[in-house]
Amino acid sequence: MGGYLEAIVRGIARSSLLTAADYNNLCQCESLDDIKMHLSATEYGPYLQNEPSPLHTTTIVEKCTLKLVDEYKHMLCQATEPLSTFLEYITYGHMIDNVVLIVTGTLHERDVHELLDKCHPLGMFDSIATLAVATNMRELYRLVLVDTPLAPYFSECITSEDLDDMNIEIMRNTLYKAYLEDFNRFCQTLGGATAEIMSDLLAFEADRRAVNITINSIGTELTRDDRRKLYSNFGLLYPYGHEELAICEDIEQVRGVMEKYPPYQSIFAKVSYGESQLLDNAFYVEEVKRLCLAFEQQFHYAVFFAYIRLREQEIRNLMWISECVAQNQKSRVHDSVVFIF
Amino acid sequence: MVDSSSWSRALVQISPYTFSAIGIAISIGVSVLGAAWGIYITGSSLIGAAIKAPRITSKNLISVIFCEAVAIYGVIVAIILQTKLESVPASVVYDAESLRAGYAIFASGIIVGFANLVCGLCVGIIGSSCALSDAQNSTLFVKILVIEIFGSALGLFGVIVGIIMSAQATWPAAKSS
């Protein structure tokens, strides 16, 4: 039950996500001030109106993210169990990213406050600033993370090695793997349409991360076994696809593996030989299509997940458009904007 | 067999008045449960959707009215049933004819109660979807209303059969006098 919150989310999703017409207007802007003017006619208006010119793209993205955070908090405080637990699960991914951001930044001797500004607001927790103190994973866990919801995900990656770039990436992927599996298990306990739709969305996420891990680790020192350990234990690619992805040494082999799976065949067909940067965009397009399908059924929680992801995609679109406009590369604007609905 | 199951003997020892009273209680109680559940489902979605699309409120109150109608059916049948409940002399209370009257009222109550329960749920869920689709695209309202009308006919079927059942609830004293 909880039809009230679901109806609110659907109302927001249908009426205030930017439409294709809005994106067309934004793509034709000449400067960031034009973008601000167009956005002030949408629901982002109140968030941007107090910003002084000259604007930066990071300011636009920051303020738009604030809107997402406000809506999320509104939903969270109105929600009862188990919806409130579900909504909290959605933010753990951002928490993981924030933790990794601060630890990496500290490693490269950046100022903690500067790093805190760059963190995603949905993933903030109280003791996040003390992450800068830790030097290896055991301390990280013992000092800070044991009190956060991320604590159970650490059991697989606590080592006493000092943190360096490679370890941190492995830590990020191990944490994310544990998080996805935990979220999947939680959704299965909820049952019904939520379990069905969320398992599809999370399986796509797990598969996408598997492909990204494979592509990013081609040519690095990551061994095949280590790579296998980073793949989640659910999803369309589990287990045989993972076996094949673990031994891939270049992108063409990855393509060969993925083309055996019909849902991913269409993604890889769009990316012709040699153009791996469009792969990210193709994945986003497919993800948005699946998220929009979540709105077709009623009385389940996946609409909340889908809405937050669609908002994040919208913010990514705005960031891309702003960057293209700011750098005067408007011909490339349509490369990476994904229309929603 | 003379030594029939003790359960069947226990059942016929229960007074037909008990069965009748329970039937009347179920008819009103379970109908109201169905109506309330339906109104809860449709009302919460309607309020949430009306935040972004205030124009839907007045039209979509029809869904709430359909759910309410289900409770009214339950009340009507309960009143009809309770007029059928008559006292009979103690000597004939456990006769076959008395038991038949008692069971008829009981069955009528169950028919009406559970038909209205599922009807109320059905209309409630459709009403919720109707509110959400209307908020998105106002041409859909009338079409979904047709589905709701079919759904509310289910409650009517229950009421009709329940009333026919209760018409045969004739107690023996009425016949012999």
Side-chain angles (χ1 to χ4, degrees):
Chain A
M1 301 301 169
Y4 172 68
L5 272 180
E6 185 185 336
I8 289 187
V9 160
R10 282 172 184 271
I12 301 178
R14 288 296 177 170
S15 70
S16 81
L17 280 175
L18 297 177
T19 61
D22 289 320
Y23 284 124
N24 281 330
N25 283 341
L26 287 171
C27 289
Q28 291 171 1
C29 288
E30 296 291 333
S31 73
L32 291 179
D33 287 320
D34 275 347
I35 290 186
K36 173 178 163 185
M37 190 184 71
H38 273 116
L39 285 179
S40 58
T42 67
E43 296 210 354
Y44 285 114
Y47 292 86
L48 283 175
Q49 70 190 24
N50 291 328
E51 292 304 308
S53 319
L55 281 181
H56 295 287
T57 55
T58 47
T59 323
I60 295 182
V61 170
E62 209 179 286
K63 296 300 169 194
C64 294
T65 315
L66 273 185
K67 176 171 195 287
L68 168 61
V69 172
D70 279 345
E71 284 170 356
Y72 174 77
K73 288 199 179 130
H74 175 77
M75 289 195 287
L76 187 60
C77 67
Q78 301 254 9
T80 57
E81 290 292 336
L83 179 55
S84 48
T85 312
F86 185 88
L87 287 175
E88 282 170 13
Y89 262 100
I90 299 180
T91 61
Y92 293 167
H94 289 298
M95 265 189 217
I96 295 175
D97 287 336
N98 286 350
V99 165
V100 169
L101 182 73
I102 292 194
V103 170
T104 318
T106 313
L107 197 64
H108 293 281
E109 320 224 338
R110 301 247 157 76
D111 180 35
V112 166
H113 295 288
E114 199 187 297
L115 293 169
L116 283 176
D117 281 336
K118 287 201 207 158
C119 283
H120 197 285
L122 274 184
M124 297 298 274
F125 50 94
D126 288 336
S127 43
I128 194 168
T130 49
L131 279 172
V133 175
T135 51
N136 65 26
M137 284 188 216
R138 211 174 278 283
E139 268 185 23
L140 201 63
Y141 177 70
R142 196 173 51 85
L143 289 179
V144 184
L145 292 167
V146 67
D147 291 323
T148 64
L150 298 179
Y153 305 151
F154 262 82
S155 56
E156 289 181 29
C157 63
I158 298 186
T159 64
S160 296
E161 293 172 11
D162 275 348
L163 297 166
D164 63 34
D165 279 320
M166 176 79 142
N167 283 352
I168 293 178
E169 273 310 302
I170 295 183
M171 179 176 87
R172 182 212 297 267
N173 284 314
T174 321
L175 284 178
Y176 213 92
K177 166 190 164 167
Y179 156 62
L180 278 181
E181 287 169 9
D182 193 23
F183 198 2
N184 195 35
R185 212 175 322 133
F186 175 68
C187 292
Q188 296 301 323
T189 61
L190 291 176
T194 306
E196 185 189 319
I197 300 177
M198 283 307 294
S199 72
D200 181 51
L201 292 174
L202 290 177
F204 180 77
E205 177 79 15
D207 292 338
R208 180 173 71 163
R209 288 194 82 87
V211 171
N212 281 337
I213 290 173
T214 313
I215 294 182
N216 290 338
S217 63
I218 290 174
T220 65
E221 313 158 340
L222 196 64
T223 65
R224 289 179 182 181
D225 286 331
D226 281 340
R227 207 196 275 179
R228 283 280 320 278
K229 278 194 270 187
L230 295 177
Y231 297 149
S232 302
N233 64 0
F234 65 100
L236 198 57
L237 292 176
Y238 171 80
Y240 305 115
H242 289 163
E243 303 273 343
E244 297 183 16
L245 276 179
I247 58 177
C248 284
E249 294 297 335
D250 67 45
I251 294 192
E252 296 314 316
Q253 288 182 355
V254 172
R255 177 196 300 274
V257 171
M258 299 303 285
E259 282 182 346
K260 295 187 200 149
Y261 294 89
Y264 302 128
Q265 207 172 25
S266 53
I267 297 179
F268 277 80
K270 284 188 214 158
V271 180
S272 51
Y273 289 98
E275 285 180 356
S276 64
Q277 61 265 37
L278 289 184
L279 186 61
D280 269 348
N281 196 42
F283 269 122
Y284 282 137
V285 167
E286 179 71 19
E287 183 186 12
V288 165
K289 208 165 55 167
R290 289 178 189 224
L291 291 173
C292 294
L293 285 178
F295 284 87
E296 299 290 318
Q297 282 197 48
Q298 228 185 315
F299 303 120
H300 60 87
Y301 294 153
V303 279
F304 297 97
F305 179 80
Y307 170 66
I308 293 190
R309 283 297 169 99
L310 285 174
R311 261 289 179 224
E312 288 172 8
Q313 178 61 42
E314 180 178 279
I315 294 177
R316 269 196 292 268
N317 285 346
L318 284 175
M319 181 171 76
W320 177 259
I321 295 177
S322 309
E323 287 287 351
C324 284
V325 163
Q327 296 176 14
N328 247 328
Q329 298 227 15
K330 288 179 41 188
S331 51
R332 295 192 56 197
V333 150
H334 288 283
D335 280 350
S336 207
V337 172
V338 181
F339 293 133
I340 300 174
F341 285 131
Chain B
M1 283 290 290
V2 173
D3 197 20
S4 57
S5 145
S6 60
W7 279 111
S8 62
R9 246 191 296 177
L11 276 175
V12 300
Q13 301 278 23
I14 300 179
S15 159
Y17 296 147
T18 313
F19 276 112
S20 313
I22 293 179
I24 296 172
I26 289 180
S27 121
I28 177 67
V30 178
S31 302
V32 168
L33 173 64
W37 203 338
I39 294 181
Y40 160 47
I41 295 176
T42 194
S44 53
S45 296
L46 178 53
I47 292 177
I51 291 181
K52 286 289 177 179
R55 59 183 165 79
I56 66 169
T57 41
S58 18
K59 281 197 295 187
N60 281 279
L61 285 177
I62 288 185
S63 309
V64 178
I65 292 173
F66 274 130
C67 287
E68 178 72 21
V70 154
I72 294 177
Y73 299 154
V75 172
I76 292 176
V77 171
I79 292 177
I80 292 176
L81 288 181
Q82 66 89 26
T83 60
K84 300 276 179 193
L85 186 53
E86 301 164 359
S87 285
V88 293
S91 55
V92 290
V93 170
Y94 290 100
D95 274 1
E97 282 302 307
S98 289
L99 293 178
R100 179 190 184 218
Y103 296 154
I105 297 180
F106 179 59
S108 175
I110 290 189
I111 291 169
V112 170
F114 286 97
N116 285 336
L117 170 65
V118 292
C119 172
L121 257 178
C122 165
V123 173
I125 295 180
I126 300 178
S128 155
S129 304
C130 182
L132 294 180
S133 339
D134 191 15
Q136 206 172 307
N137 178 358
S138 46
T139 58
L140 289 174
F141 176 71
V142 176
K143 305 185 167 98
I144 299 186
L145 203 60
V146 173
I147 304 178
E148 253 185 87
I149 292 173
F150 277 110
S152 78
L154 300 174
L156 266 173
F157 297 157
V159 170
I160 292 171
V161 175
I163 292 186
I164 295 175
M165 271 301 288
S166 72
Q168 19 168 319
T170 45
W171 299 83
K175 280 197 329 197
S176 61
S177 67

